Every structure is written in C-alpha cells, then in structure tokens.
Amino acid sequence: MPEQCFLGVDLGAESGRVLAGLLDEKQIRLEEVYRFSNGPVPVAGTRRWNLIGLWSSILKGLSLAAQKYGDRIISVGVDTWGVDYTLLNQKQEMLGQPYHYRDPRTEGMLNLAISRVPQQEIFDATGLQFMEINTLYQLLSMSQTDPDLLNQAETFLMIPDFFHWLLSGSQVVEFTNATTTQCLDPKTGDWSMELLRRLEIPTNMLPKIVPPGTKLGTVREEIMQHTGLGKIDVIAPATHDTASAVAAIPTSNTGKANWAYISSGTWSLMGVEVNSAVLGRRAFELNVTNEGGIDGTYRLLKNIMGLWLVQECRRSYERLGISLDYSELADAASSAEPFRSLVDPDDPRFLSPDDMLEAIKGYCEESNQPVPETEGQYIRCALESLALKYRKVLGWLEELTGTPIEVIHIVGGGTKNELLNQFTANSCQVPVITGPVEATGLGNVLVQARAVGAVSSLAEIREIVRNSTETCRYEPQDRDIWEQAIQRFDELVNAK
C-alpha cells in the first residue's frame, strides 16, 4: 500500500501545529508542517482565546500541507485541551470570544453548585474531579452573570468541535472532550440532563455526542478552494489531547491496569486505562476523574498542576531580566540541595498567580520551610514536589483498581525533562519509560487511520508507535532517601 497522509491539528495551551502523519504499513513518521503561537489574550479584565486567529493559522498550515502532500492526504482531525467551549446562535454566529479556563469568572462557582446539588451527587452524575475550571462551572458562571446571552445559544461546541464545524459543517461533540466538562454521565455516555436542569443550565444547546474515529463529513468547498486540499474526510480523533496521547502510549499491555501514564506538559495528567468509570465514595473522596478514551474506555486519572510551575517561574525570572532556557533551569536544579523545600503543586495559589516565585515563597513561609533563594532551589522544589505528588496519586490509582502498577509511561513535552523523569522513578519506585514526545499528534493521526481501515485496533495503534519511536527507561534509585521525603510530603499536604 502506498504511503498515506493524515493531517492532525494539535492545539496546546502555548502553541498549535499542523502535523502530517505518514503511514507506511506498520510504521508512521510525523512531520511538522506549520507551528504557530497560542495563549490567553487579555480582554477588558478577562482572559480569552483568539479562535479566529487560530483558525487563520490552521488554514495556513493546511495550505502548506496541501502543497507538500497533495493527493496522498486522506483526512484531517483536530485535538485540543479540554473544558473550554464556544456558543453559536441561531444564525451560526459566535456568541462572544470564548473564555480561557484560567479566567477568574469561575471563582466561587463550585460552592454555588454544591449549594444547589450535594457534591457527592454531582460526582455520581459525572465521575469528574472537582476543579473550578471545568465547563460545568464556566456555564454556571455565565448563567449568573450573562443569562440573556446564554439563552441565545443554539449550539454548544467544545473547541476542537468548533474547528471541525468550520472544516466540515458538523455540529457534534466528540466523547473524550465531552467527558472533561463535568456535564456528561459516564453511566450512560450522554449529557447529564437532570444535573444540568437542577443547576438551571440550559440543555437545548447540547448536540449529539460521537465516539473518537467518527467521520464528520468532507471539507467544505470553500476550504478546498482556499487551501488547495482535495475532498478529504474530516474525522474526529480523540479530540482531547490527553486522550490522543494515551492512545499512542507504546504499551504492550492494552486491556490491563498494571501500567500507568503521565501526560506531562503544562498539566500532568496521571492515570490508568480502565473499561468503565470508577465511581463510589472512595473515588469521590480522592477527587479523581474519569475521562473518556478510545473504544469506550475511561482514563481514571488525576489532574496535577504539572510543569506550569516551572514555566511560570521562568516567566517570573524573565520579568526580572534573567533569561534562562529550560535546560539551564534543569541544570541549576540538578546541583541544588535535595528536598530543601517542598510544596503541594495543586495548592490553589499556583493555578493562576501573578508571580509564581512569590506564590512558592508564600507557601514555604506558611509551612515553616526555608524559602528558595536561587533559580536552582526554586526549580528543584517544583520538580521534587511534582514527583512526590505522582507517588501519592499512584497509591490512589492502585487502591481504586486493586492492581499494582508495574511501570509508568511518560509522554508529551515533559519527557524532555530528564531530571523530573528520574525523580519520578525514584519517588514511585517503579521503572519509568519515556516517549514518544509527540504522543498526542501520533494518537490523533492514528485514530484517523483506524477510522478509514488502515489500522485495525487500539493495540495495533500502539504497536505502530512502538515500531516507529524511541523510548528511554529510568530505573528507581535512592529508595531510602525518597521514602523519607514521601513521609515529609504527606505530612505537609495533610497539614494543609
């Protein structure tokens, strides 16, 4: 079979890319066609996404892809982050510029929600971790501050679904991203209508939910003319970027719960792949989440603040006139004193601070720990704290599944941080396998390939990834030292 090309549009919190997945029998290679910047835009005291600007960049990337790959292109699909959405009115016009999940409008909305519906009942109806960035609280906020605009909404679309609509005219929401909203019932796989009604959130705008791999139609005629693409399919991959990344984890244990993953980037999403959502009192107490995966699986996981702490420290230093790249920060952390200061990465103060250095300093002062003084001390504090949080979450996952975790796979941009990879193996005391860096893009295009019959199964997707990418293995070290640190970290977090 001649080489086939599948285009993946991968939008992250800091950048977006148009990628080409070139499949040749049992191997695939990924080529970056076009990269562009992304991020929150300040608008009159709010944080918004510039979706029209992103669409312009996507069109440019698709035009370049059409020029390079021509009639080898089979399909295109989009993945993005979760929880954020846009609304269309009856005339198919956008109702305002979509909010960024770090916009402060959701502050207090979780408390409002549980004043109307008991928190356990919300969890039973959605199976999702309680975070005020979730779509549920964004919609609740809108119902309080701008109900007239919300009532004009004819169609609710998650961000990747919005771009699929622009590409093909389809108006559906793909399952994996729908599960990040806290508006979906994992027992039925459909919207949790009763919960939404009890919270007085309109439901008439919610479209059909479709599984990953659904063919949404062909690209619009105007898109073909603008980009030079042929009449190719628009296929919904696993549109949540972590779901795409997990689909491309190179495990040979598909169907088993004895391996865990960390999708490592701005956020760290750590979990296991299970056949059905894990609900019940203990899952609620641990505030875990059940997000959708391929073939009706669920990703039982925990959202952890991730390398956001390091990214924001770097920005703070840049504002001080100190310019250091990530490798320089890692080198400085490597030579810093171990376990001098620790923080809980998920403390609310770290979600959207004006200055991450000041936020870490404040945490250390309040917990009677030495305040970091150097770049290396700040970054080592962040990395060691992340690794210790991974160990805590690993224990929760083993408790909920009843299965010991034998290996952790780390994928995404965070795999480049070798110091954190080794810390993770040390803290969790199991081997860590890193790679591929481009798991999200690979998962996106390979789910498309499966939709057209070029790949047969999830297990084969992962086999192709194993055949096509390099991985690195980290063995646990310094067990006794890390066990002492784990005890200290637990005491620190429990004291909060």
PDB file of all heavy atoms in Angstrom, residues 307-319 329 355-357 360 378-379 382:
ATOM      1  N   LEU A 307       4.140  20.999  34.815  1.00  0.00           N
ATOM      2  CA  LEU A 307       5.285  21.875  34.569  1.00  0.00           C
ATOM      3  C   LEU A 307       4.902  23.348  34.455  1.00  0.00           C
ATOM      4  O   LEU A 307       5.759  24.199  34.220  1.00  0.00           O
ATOM      5  CB  LEU A 307       6.032  21.412  33.312  1.00  0.00           C
ATOM      6  CG  LEU A 307       6.813  20.110  33.523  1.00  0.00           C
ATOM      7  CD1 LEU A 307       7.293  19.543  32.196  1.00  0.00           C
ATOM      8  CD2 LEU A 307       8.003  20.338  34.461  1.00  0.00           C
ATOM      9  N   TRP A 308       3.619  23.637  34.655  1.00  0.00           N
ATOM     10  CA  TRP A 308       3.166  25.019  34.789  1.00  0.00           C
ATOM     11  C   TRP A 308       3.988  25.750  35.844  1.00  0.00           C
ATOM     12  O   TRP A 308       4.341  26.920  35.677  1.00  0.00           O
ATOM     13  CB  TRP A 308       1.689  25.011  35.150  1.00  0.00           C
ATOM     14  CG  TRP A 308       1.101  26.297  35.631  1.00  0.00           C
ATOM     15  CD1 TRP A 308       0.753  26.625  36.912  1.00  0.00           C
ATOM     16  CD2 TRP A 308       0.742  27.435  34.819  1.00  0.00           C
ATOM     17  NE1 TRP A 308       0.217  27.891  36.969  1.00  0.00           N
ATOM     18  CE2 TRP A 308       0.197  28.415  35.691  1.00  0.00           C
ATOM     19  CE3 TRP A 308       0.842  27.724  33.465  1.00  0.00           C
ATOM     20  CZ2 TRP A 308      -0.252  29.649  35.244  1.00  0.00           C
ATOM     21  CZ3 TRP A 308       0.386  28.962  33.006  1.00  0.00           C
ATOM     22  CH2 TRP A 308      -0.149  29.900  33.897  1.00  0.00           C
ATOM     23  N   LEU A 309       4.325  25.059  36.942  1.00  0.00           N
ATOM     24  CA  LEU A 309       5.108  25.704  37.995  1.00  0.00           C
ATOM     25  C   LEU A 309       6.456  26.172  37.463  1.00  0.00           C
ATOM     26  O   LEU A 309       6.897  27.293  37.754  1.00  0.00           O
ATOM     27  CB  LEU A 309       5.320  24.743  39.173  1.00  0.00           C
ATOM     28  CG  LEU A 309       4.168  24.603  40.174  1.00  0.00           C
ATOM     29  CD1 LEU A 309       3.044  23.755  39.606  1.00  0.00           C
ATOM     30  CD2 LEU A 309       4.654  24.001  41.479  1.00  0.00           C
ATOM     31  N   VAL A 310       7.121  25.317  36.675  1.00  0.00           N
ATOM     32  CA  VAL A 310       8.423  25.679  36.108  1.00  0.00           C
ATOM     33  C   VAL A 310       8.266  26.773  35.051  1.00  0.00           C
ATOM     34  O   VAL A 310       9.055  27.728  34.998  1.00  0.00           O
ATOM     35  CB  VAL A 310       9.110  24.434  35.517  1.00  0.00           C
ATOM     36  CG1 VAL A 310      10.410  24.805  34.821  1.00  0.00           C
ATOM     37  CG2 VAL A 310       9.364  23.407  36.615  1.00  0.00           C
ATOM     38  N   GLN A 311       7.245  26.632  34.210  1.00  0.00           N
ATOM     39  CA  GLN A 311       7.022  27.630  33.157  1.00  0.00           C
ATOM     40  C   GLN A 311       6.806  29.021  33.751  1.00  0.00           C
ATOM     41  O   GLN A 311       7.350  30.017  33.259  1.00  0.00           O
ATOM     42  CB  GLN A 311       5.811  27.220  32.316  1.00  0.00           C
ATOM     43  CG  GLN A 311       6.023  25.960  31.489  1.00  0.00           C
ATOM     44  CD  GLN A 311       4.717  25.375  30.959  1.00  0.00           C
ATOM     45  OE1 GLN A 311       3.634  25.880  31.268  1.00  0.00           O
ATOM     46  NE2 GLN A 311       4.809  24.312  30.174  1.00  0.00           N
ATOM     47  N   GLU A 312       6.022  29.065  34.832  1.00  0.00           N
ATOM     48  CA  GLU A 312       5.728  30.360  35.438  1.00  0.00           C
ATOM     49  C   GLU A 312       6.917  30.908  36.224  1.00  0.00           C
ATOM     50  O   GLU A 312       7.108  32.120  36.283  1.00  0.00           O
ATOM     51  CB  GLU A 312       4.490  30.248  36.324  1.00  0.00           C
ATOM     52  CG  GLU A 312       3.201  30.124  35.534  1.00  0.00           C
ATOM     53  CD  GLU A 312       2.968  31.319  34.629  1.00  0.00           C
ATOM     54  OE1 GLU A 312       2.767  32.440  35.156  1.00  0.00           O
ATOM     55  OE2 GLU A 312       3.015  31.155  33.391  1.00  0.00           O
ATOM     56  N   CYS A 313       7.719  30.035  36.823  1.00  0.00           N
ATOM     57  CA  CYS A 313       8.969  30.510  37.441  1.00  0.00           C
ATOM     58  C   CYS A 313       9.860  31.156  36.387  1.00  0.00           C
ATOM     59  O   CYS A 313      10.461  32.221  36.616  1.00  0.00           O
ATOM     60  CB  CYS A 313       9.701  29.348  38.113  1.00  0.00           C
ATOM     61  SG  CYS A 313       9.031  28.835  39.715  1.00  0.00           S
ATOM     62  N   ARG A 314       9.953  30.507  35.242  1.00  0.00           N
ATOM     63  CA  ARG A 314      10.783  31.053  34.164  1.00  0.00           C
ATOM     64  C   ARG A 314      10.271  32.432  33.728  1.00  0.00           C
ATOM     65  O   ARG A 314      11.062  33.359  33.511  1.00  0.00           O
ATOM     66  CB  ARG A 314      10.782  30.091  32.985  1.00  0.00           C
ATOM     67  CG  ARG A 314      11.653  30.508  31.816  1.00  0.00           C
ATOM     68  CD  ARG A 314      11.772  29.385  30.802  1.00  0.00           C
ATOM     69  NE  ARG A 314      12.587  29.776  29.664  1.00  0.00           N
ATOM     70  CZ  ARG A 314      12.118  29.938  28.427  1.00  0.00           C
ATOM     71  NH1 ARG A 314      10.841  29.707  28.172  1.00  0.00           N
ATOM     72  NH2 ARG A 314      12.919  30.285  27.444  1.00  0.00           N
ATOM     73  N   ARG A 315       8.938  32.575  33.627  1.00  0.00           N
ATOM     74  CA  ARG A 315       8.383  33.879  33.253  1.00  0.00           C
ATOM     75  C   ARG A 315       8.693  34.926  34.317  1.00  0.00           C
ATOM     76  O   ARG A 315       8.978  36.086  34.005  1.00  0.00           O
ATOM     77  CB  ARG A 315       6.872  33.770  33.039  1.00  0.00           C
ATOM     78  CG  ARG A 315       6.478  33.034  31.770  1.00  0.00           C
ATOM     79  CD  ARG A 315       5.001  33.218  31.450  1.00  0.00           C
ATOM     80  NE  ARG A 315       4.620  32.426  30.294  1.00  0.00           N
ATOM     81  CZ  ARG A 315       4.093  31.219  30.349  1.00  0.00           C
ATOM     82  NH1 ARG A 315       3.882  30.658  31.521  1.00  0.00           N
ATOM     83  NH2 ARG A 315       3.770  30.571  29.251  1.00  0.00           N
ATOM     84  N   SER A 316       8.611  34.521  35.578  1.00  0.00           N
ATOM     85  CA  SER A 316       8.924  35.459  36.657  1.00  0.00           C
ATOM     86  C   SER A 316      10.376  35.932  36.549  1.00  0.00           C
ATOM     87  O   SER A 316      10.675  37.122  36.734  1.00  0.00           O
ATOM     88  CB  SER A 316       8.683  34.799  38.018  1.00  0.00           C
ATOM     89  OG  SER A 316       7.303  34.556  38.230  1.00  0.00           O
ATOM     90  N   TYR A 317      11.282  34.998  36.254  1.00  0.00           N
ATOM     91  CA  TYR A 317      12.685  35.374  36.109  1.00  0.00           C
ATOM     92  C   TYR A 317      12.886  36.294  34.904  1.00  0.00           C
ATOM     93  O   TYR A 317      13.689  37.236  34.949  1.00  0.00           O
ATOM     94  CB  TYR A 317      13.568  34.131  35.992  1.00  0.00           C
ATOM     95  CG  TYR A 317      13.856  33.492  37.335  1.00  0.00           C
ATOM     96  CD1 TYR A 317      13.512  32.165  37.590  1.00  0.00           C
ATOM     97  CD2 TYR A 317      14.460  34.215  38.352  1.00  0.00           C
ATOM     98  CE1 TYR A 317      13.763  31.579  38.818  1.00  0.00           C
ATOM     99  CE2 TYR A 317      14.716  33.644  39.588  1.00  0.00           C
ATOM    100  CZ  TYR A 317      14.361  32.328  39.818  1.00  0.00           C
ATOM    101  OH  TYR A 317      14.610  31.769  41.036  1.00  0.00           O
ATOM    102  N   GLU A 318      12.148  36.028  33.833  1.00  0.00           N
ATOM    103  CA  GLU A 318      12.277  36.889  32.651  1.00  0.00           C
ATOM    104  C   GLU A 318      11.859  38.319  32.968  1.00  0.00           C
ATOM    105  O   GLU A 318      12.455  39.281  32.480  1.00  0.00           O
ATOM    106  CB  GLU A 318      11.448  36.321  31.498  1.00  0.00           C
ATOM    107  CG  GLU A 318      12.069  35.079  30.865  1.00  0.00           C
ATOM    108  CD  GLU A 318      11.198  34.483  29.775  1.00  0.00           C
ATOM    109  OE1 GLU A 318       9.985  34.816  29.737  1.00  0.00           O
ATOM    110  OE2 GLU A 318      11.722  33.681  28.982  1.00  0.00           O
ATOM    111  N   ARG A 319      10.813  38.455  33.797  1.00  0.00           N
ATOM    112  CA  ARG A 319      10.389  39.806  34.187  1.00  0.00           C
ATOM    113  C   ARG A 319      11.450  40.506  35.035  1.00  0.00           C
ATOM    114  O   ARG A 319      11.501  41.737  35.091  1.00  0.00           O
ATOM    115  CB  ARG A 319       9.059  39.740  34.945  1.00  0.00           C
ATOM    116  CG  ARG A 319       7.864  39.403  34.063  1.00  0.00           C
ATOM    117  CD  ARG A 319       6.562  39.678  34.781  1.00  0.00           C
ATOM    118  NE  ARG A 319       6.350  38.752  35.887  1.00  0.00           N
ATOM    119  CZ  ARG A 319       5.705  37.598  35.794  1.00  0.00           C
ATOM    120  NH1 ARG A 319       5.208  37.211  34.618  1.00  0.00           N
ATOM    121  NH2 ARG A 319       5.538  36.834  36.854  1.00  0.00           N
ATOM    122  N   LEU A 329      17.686  25.792  33.478  1.00  0.00           N
ATOM    123  CA  LEU A 329      16.965  25.681  34.746  1.00  0.00           C
ATOM    124  C   LEU A 329      17.108  24.277  35.323  1.00  0.00           C
ATOM    125  O   LEU A 329      17.293  24.108  36.538  1.00  0.00           O
ATOM    126  CB  LEU A 329      15.490  26.031  34.541  1.00  0.00           C
ATOM    127  CG  LEU A 329      15.172  27.500  34.260  1.00  0.00           C
ATOM    128  CD1 LEU A 329      13.696  27.666  33.918  1.00  0.00           C
ATOM    129  CD2 LEU A 329      15.539  28.381  35.447  1.00  0.00           C
ATOM    130  N   ASP A 355       2.724  36.034  40.232  1.00  0.00           N
ATOM    131  CA  ASP A 355       4.166  35.775  40.269  1.00  0.00           C
ATOM    132  C   ASP A 355       4.382  34.428  40.951  1.00  0.00           C
ATOM    133  O   ASP A 355       4.140  34.291  42.149  1.00  0.00           O
ATOM    134  CB  ASP A 355       4.876  36.886  41.038  1.00  0.00           C
ATOM    135  CG  ASP A 355       6.398  36.770  40.990  1.00  0.00           C
ATOM    136  OD1 ASP A 355       6.909  35.646  41.126  1.00  0.00           O
ATOM    137  OD2 ASP A 355       7.068  37.806  40.829  1.00  0.00           O
ATOM    138  N   MET A 356       4.827  33.431  40.188  1.00  0.00           N
ATOM    139  CA  MET A 356       4.984  32.086  40.739  1.00  0.00           C
ATOM    140  C   MET A 356       6.056  32.046  41.830  1.00  0.00           C
ATOM    141  O   MET A 356       5.930  31.299  42.805  1.00  0.00           O
ATOM    142  CB  MET A 356       5.320  31.087  39.625  1.00  0.00           C
ATOM    143  CG  MET A 356       5.381  29.635  40.098  1.00  0.00           C
ATOM    144  SD  MET A 356       3.794  28.999  40.745  1.00  0.00           S
ATOM    145  CE  MET A 356       2.926  28.666  39.203  1.00  0.00           C
ATOM    146  N   LEU A 357       7.113  32.823  41.675  1.00  0.00           N
ATOM    147  CA  LEU A 357       8.157  32.839  42.698  1.00  0.00           C
ATOM    148  C   LEU A 357       7.583  33.294  44.037  1.00  0.00           C
ATOM    149  O   LEU A 357       7.870  32.717  45.088  1.00  0.00           O
ATOM    150  CB  LEU A 357       9.310  33.754  42.279  1.00  0.00           C
ATOM    151  CG  LEU A 357      10.031  33.411  40.974  1.00  0.00           C
ATOM    152  CD1 LEU A 357      11.130  34.434  40.703  1.00  0.00           C
ATOM    153  CD2 LEU A 357      10.614  32.003  41.022  1.00  0.00           C
ATOM    154  N   ILE A 360       5.336  30.474  45.545  1.00  0.00           N
ATOM    155  CA  ILE A 360       6.122  29.416  46.192  1.00  0.00           C
ATOM    156  C   ILE A 360       6.715  29.931  47.500  1.00  0.00           C
ATOM    157  O   ILE A 360       6.699  29.228  48.522  1.00  0.00           O
ATOM    158  CB  ILE A 360       7.211  28.903  45.236  1.00  0.00           C
ATOM    159  CG1 ILE A 360       6.575  28.161  44.052  1.00  0.00           C
ATOM    160  CG2 ILE A 360       8.198  27.994  45.972  1.00  0.00           C
ATOM    161  CD1 ILE A 360       7.556  27.738  42.972  1.00  0.00           C
ATOM    162  N   TYR A 378      14.439  27.005  43.484  1.00  0.00           N
ATOM    163  CA  TYR A 378      13.027  27.116  43.098  1.00  0.00           C
ATOM    164  C   TYR A 378      12.617  25.967  42.173  1.00  0.00           C
ATOM    165  O   TYR A 378      11.575  25.336  42.368  1.00  0.00           O
ATOM    166  CB  TYR A 378      12.761  28.458  42.412  1.00  0.00           C
ATOM    167  CG  TYR A 378      12.388  29.572  43.366  1.00  0.00           C
ATOM    168  CD1 TYR A 378      13.313  30.551  43.711  1.00  0.00           C
ATOM    169  CD2 TYR A 378      11.113  29.647  43.914  1.00  0.00           C
ATOM    170  CE1 TYR A 378      12.982  31.579  44.593  1.00  0.00           C
ATOM    171  CE2 TYR A 378      10.767  30.671  44.786  1.00  0.00           C
ATOM    172  CZ  TYR A 378      11.704  31.633  45.128  1.00  0.00           C
ATOM    173  OH  TYR A 378      11.365  32.639  45.999  1.00  0.00           O
ATOM    174  N   ILE A 379      13.429  25.694  41.160  1.00  0.00           N
ATOM    175  CA  ILE A 379      13.060  24.676  40.182  1.00  0.00           C
ATOM    176  C   ILE A 379      13.130  23.280  40.807  1.00  0.00           C
ATOM    177  O   ILE A 379      12.272  22.430  40.558  1.00  0.00           O
ATOM    178  CB  ILE A 379      13.957  24.765  38.927  1.00  0.00           C
ATOM    179  CG1 ILE A 379      13.856  26.166  38.310  1.00  0.00           C
ATOM    180  CG2 ILE A 379      13.537  23.704  37.908  1.00  0.00           C
ATOM    181  CD1 ILE A 379      12.442  26.625  37.988  1.00  0.00           C
ATOM    182  N   ALA A 382      10.033  22.690  42.737  1.00  0.00           N
ATOM    183  CA  ALA A 382       8.898  22.360  41.866  1.00  0.00           C
ATOM    184  C   ALA A 382       8.972  20.921  41.371  1.00  0.00           C
ATOM    185  O   ALA A 382       7.984  20.173  41.409  1.00  0.00           O
ATOM    186  CB  ALA A 382       8.848  23.330  40.690  1.00  0.00           C
TER     187      ALA A 382
END
